[in-house]
Amino acid sequence: METYHYTNSDSTKSTPHYTISFTKNGDYIGEYSIMGRYLYNVHISDVYRGKGLCKKIVNHAINRKKNLYLDVDPDNIPAIKCYKSCGFIFKKKLVNYHHRSWGNDVEKADVLRFYHP
């Protein structure tokens, strides 16, 4: 699996913010973004789902940055299983929550907060 990354300027002007994308033979596999210690936008292409690549991508993030936290939709069972298998621990449920990394076009939602020590 090849990787490449690019750095976006952070809208908060106070926290490093970047996205790492993964490809194989030129095909997009998936990506993740980190803002400070917040892991978000973990995405696996539909073609590559169910092949264990979520765990590889999340472990890549963990190896780059320690003490990460993330939020996940309570109904996204495959993602929750992936995060738990990578060592993330459930901390709490956040009700009607919005993280600044989501942007202004995303509405508040209930999420589960996980932390990786």
Side-chain angles (χ1 to χ4, degrees):
M1 183 164 55
E2 305 164 5
T3 65
Y4 65 92
H5 74 278
Y6 56 92
T7 303
N8 291 333
S9 60
D10 178 22
S11 60
T12 66
K13 307 252 189 259
S14 63
T15 312
H17 177 215
Y18 57 89
T19 297
I20 306 288
S21 297
F22 298 84
T23 61
K24 184 174 183 177
N25 300 326
D27 291 336
Y28 171 80
I29 294 173
E31 67 186 14
Y32 68 82
S33 297
I34 291 181
M35 178 185 284
R37 300 229 173 266
Y38 184 68
L39 174 63
Y40 71 103
N41 195 33
V42 176
H43 178 260
I44 308 297
S45 171
D46 291 343
V47 176
Y48 289 98
R49 288 186 184 168
K51 300 180 188 305
L53 293 171
C54 178
K55 189 171 182 176
K56 285 185 178 183
I57 287 175
V58 171
N59 279 325
H60 187 275
I62 292 167
N63 290 330
R64 286 183 58 95
K65 194 106 177 195
K66 303 300 180 205
N67 303 332
L68 289 170
Y69 69 97
L70 59 82
D71 301 322
V72 63
D73 182 323
D75 297 328
N76 193 344
I77 303 305
I80 293 169
K81 286 181 181 179
C82 174
Y83 302 143
K84 285 183 175 180
S85 75
C86 292
F88 278 86
I89 301 164
F90 173 76
K91 287 296 185 186
K92 61 184 170 183
K93 181 176 183 176
L94 301 170
V95 178
N96 202 24
Y97 178 76
H98 184 273
H99 190 275
R100 68 180 182 263
S101 67
W102 300 357
N104 295 330
D105 296 337
V106 177
E107 294 182 20
K108 292 181 179 181
D110 295 350
V111 297
L112 303 179
R113 167 76 44 96
F114 285 82
Y115 175 75
H116 192 278

